[in-house]
Amino acid sequence: LASEACKPLRPAYAADLRDAALTAAGYNLNAVVKDDVQFTFDRNFACEVNHQVFRFPDPNPLQMQLGSVQQWNFNDAFFHPLHVHVNPFQLVAVNSSLLYPGNHAFSSNFYKIGDYYDTLVFPFYTPDTGALTLRFQPGKWTGYTVMHCHYLQHEDLGCMKVVLYKCPGYPDDQQPANGECPGFVPPVPGTFQA
């Protein structure tokens, strides 16, 4: 929608998290929590996440603090669909300079900067960090979930990672029992109120 005239009304779970919108909403850009997240291949072409094969319990889950904007600088050495459970992400940037020569950012115009997804199929990128910039504003639900390659054969071989959505003020192993963070308010409001 970045180059189109359409300006959709957005609920808080899909607020615009691009820099200009965050600044307009009064959100400090330096407060965006940034992580490098990538699919990696350390075991004879078996896919992993951040050089770690899936295991549960996960000693080092990806962590997302409720009440903050989270950014994943994502890359992919080959062609893998990223799928994230529970909270959708906004595609905020594509670094086309990291494409392998002769490839295009996307094979169709389905994916657009500024749109939200829970699954994203992206093209052949070099292994350099920062090919895709994804931002999340986690909702009020705490606890564990997963992100993974959506090729189920890859997921089954360990291309999956636990994600912990954390309620501020609670230890990792003692999140609210009902899964809802008390007093939660999204840091960036939507432009639509139900």
Side-chain angles (χ1 to χ4, degrees):
L1 295 176
S3 63
E4 298 176 13
C6 177
K7 301 291 182 205
L9 295 176
R10 296 176 179 264
Y13 69 83
D16 192 350
L17 304 177
R18 292 173 284 177
D19 286 354
L22 289 180
T23 300
Y27 193 86
N28 181 352
L29 294 179
N30 293 324
V32 174
V33 179
K34 299 177 182 177
D35 278 314
D36 293 333
V37 180
Q38 60 185 333
F39 290 133
T40 52
F41 303 88
D42 293 335
R43 298 174 299 119
N44 298 320
F45 301 104
C47 178
E48 302 158 336
V49 177
N50 288 353
H51 304 283
Q52 297 174 357
V53 70
F54 177 77
R55 59 185 161 148
F56 191 82
D58 189 330
N60 187 30
L62 298 171
Q63 296 193 15
M64 294 220 193
Q65 189 79 25
L66 302 186
S68 65
V69 174
Q70 306 277 324
Q71 176 176 303
W72 285 359
N73 300 314
F74 205 89
N75 78 297
D76 178 50
F78 295 100
F79 196 84
H80 288 271
L82 166 69
H83 180 60
V84 180
H85 289 223
V86 180
N87 289 289
F89 53 86
Q90 185 180 33
L91 178 63
V92 297
V94 175
N95 185 346
S96 295
S97 71
L98 295 179
L99 282 167
Y100 280 121
N103 284 289
H104 301 284
F106 295 103
S107 58
S108 75
N109 63 357
F110 179 79
Y111 293 107
K112 298 206 185 278
I113 301 297
D115 280 357
Y116 267 82
Y117 305 95
D118 70 355
T119 305
L120 181 65
V121 179
F122 41 91
F124 293 88
Y125 276 94
T126 67
D128 298 321
T129 301
L132 302 171
T133 304
L134 315 174
R135 286 192 180 155
F136 302 77
Q137 175 169 260
K140 64 182 176 179
W141 304 106
T142 67
Y144 293 96
T145 188
V146 295
M147 60 78 69
H148 57 88
C149 173
H150 219 285
Y151 289 138
L152 297 183
Q153 299 89 335
H154 294 181
E155 176 187 358
D156 290 348
L157 290 171
C159 196
M160 179 165 55
K161 187 80 175 142
V162 172
V163 178
L164 172 59
Y165 294 104
K166 295 174 59 174
C167 185
Y170 287 82
D172 292 359
D173 60 347
Q174 295 177 5
Q175 293 294 302
N178 67 355
E180 189 171 343
C181 189
F184 172 78
V185 176
V188 181
T191 55
F192 170 78
Q193 305 297 322

